[in-house]
Amino acid sequence: MKLHWSPRSPFVRKVMIVLHETGLVDEVDLSRNVVAVQMPTPEAVLADNPLGKIPALVTEDGRRLIDSRVICEYLDLRAGTGLYPVEASARVAHLNWQALADGMTDVLLIWRTELNRETGPWQAVVDGWRVKVRAAMARLEAEAPEMERMPFGIGHVALVAALGQMDFRWPDCGWRDHFPQLAALAARLAERPSVAATAVEDDQGSDSGALTRGQLSFRA
């Protein structure tokens, strides 16, 4: 298999965690790609994902899978790992956590891109994103005890990727000081081998927080 990959992408990290959990990581060749909305899309990525996004996975039989949610479920089904519970209530809980964490990650990524605009960010939009991220973190804090009780699954995978991106791109936001239950859960998840092996790496040597410092605070 071939995976269009970046060590900085939170959605690629989701896939990499699942690859480690399923034992399939050695069956995938990683193709390094730099993808951003303000940059031309690499032809290699566009050939396998018409939306020009990563991750994108090409299977041995040539099937092209796009979006981390599709890829992660495919890998779990293939390996029979059980990251997607069979029992309905647990499955819905994990899928809902994935949707919440993925949605927050989307906001964080597009927010940082907005800060790059030559004319400056659209303040009303930025203010709206700030409200949504705060609300998402509050919901995750409230549900952290339930996540703690649940066996490791796709909801935890998405949460790790979202919080990892927050640490990488928004390093001064101090979220751990305001969400102690979520911080404790994140610390325990960080000890898991699949999570430790996929820590975000800035292989481009940029100042990841230069644009975002002071932009996100959880103070009342």
Side-chain angles (χ1 to χ4, degrees):
M1 295 184 285
K2 179 181 74 172
L3 179 69
H4 292 284
W5 169 90
S6 165
R8 297 152 54 101
S9 165
F11 294 113
V12 169
R13 189 181 187 191
K14 284 178 62 186
V15 174
M16 292 304 299
I17 291 172
V18 171
L19 281 168
H20 280 276
E21 291 286 337
T22 58
L24 296 172
V25 68
D26 291 334
E27 297 184 24
V28 175
D29 293 325
L30 303 180
S31 176
R32 176 68 172 103
N33 293 278
V34 177
V35 174
V37 294
Q38 73 276 18
M39 296 171 56
T41 303
E43 288 297 328
V45 174
L46 202 59
D48 290 326
N49 182 356
L51 299 178
K53 297 181 178 182
I54 59 173
L57 181 75
V58 182
T59 65
E60 297 93 333
D61 60 359
R63 183 182 295 274
R64 294 171 171 85
L65 304 180
I66 63 173
D67 194 286
S68 65
R69 286 166 288 195
V70 174
I71 297 169
C72 287
E73 189 162 1
Y74 165 78
L75 294 170
D76 185 65
L77 286 169
R78 174 170 170 158
T81 314
L83 296 174
Y84 295 77
V86 174
E87 193 275 321
S89 178
R91 185 180 184 89
V92 169
H94 270 282
L95 292 177
N96 203 46
W97 290 324
Q98 176 180 226
L100 180 57
D102 282 0
M104 186 173 73
T105 299
D106 275 330
V107 170
L108 292 174
L109 290 172
I110 197 169
W111 185 349
R112 187 175 187 278
T113 299
E114 179 72 9
L115 295 173
N116 266 314
R117 282 208 302 166
E118 292 182 3
T119 57
W122 186 355
Q123 196 58 48
V125 172
V126 167
D127 290 345
W129 287 334
R130 186 178 294 108
V131 168
K132 291 172 183 177
V133 170
R134 288 174 172 174
M137 290 292 285
R139 174 68 64 85
L140 290 167
E141 171 73 3
E143 298 191 8
E146 183 181 0
M147 296 187 79
E148 184 76 66
R149 293 191 295 270
M150 287 274 197
F152 186 80
I154 195 61
H156 300 101
V157 173
L159 176 67
V160 165
L163 296 179
Q165 186 65 191
M166 188 172 289
D167 284 337
F168 176 49
R169 293 297 194 186
W170 306 80
D172 69 333
C173 70
W175 67 267
R176 288 174 178 81
D177 296 333
H178 301 274
F179 306 103
Q181 295 186 104
L182 191 57
L185 172 61
R188 282 186 280 276
L189 292 174
E191 297 173 356
R192 196 172 184 91
S194 64
V195 174
T198 59
V200 180
E201 295 182 14
D202 186 2
D203 63 345
Q204 293 183 302
S206 62
D207 181 357
S208 61
L211 293 172
T212 60
R213 294 187 190 281
Q215 292 289 327
L216 176 59
S217 171
F218 295 102
R219 297 183 182 89

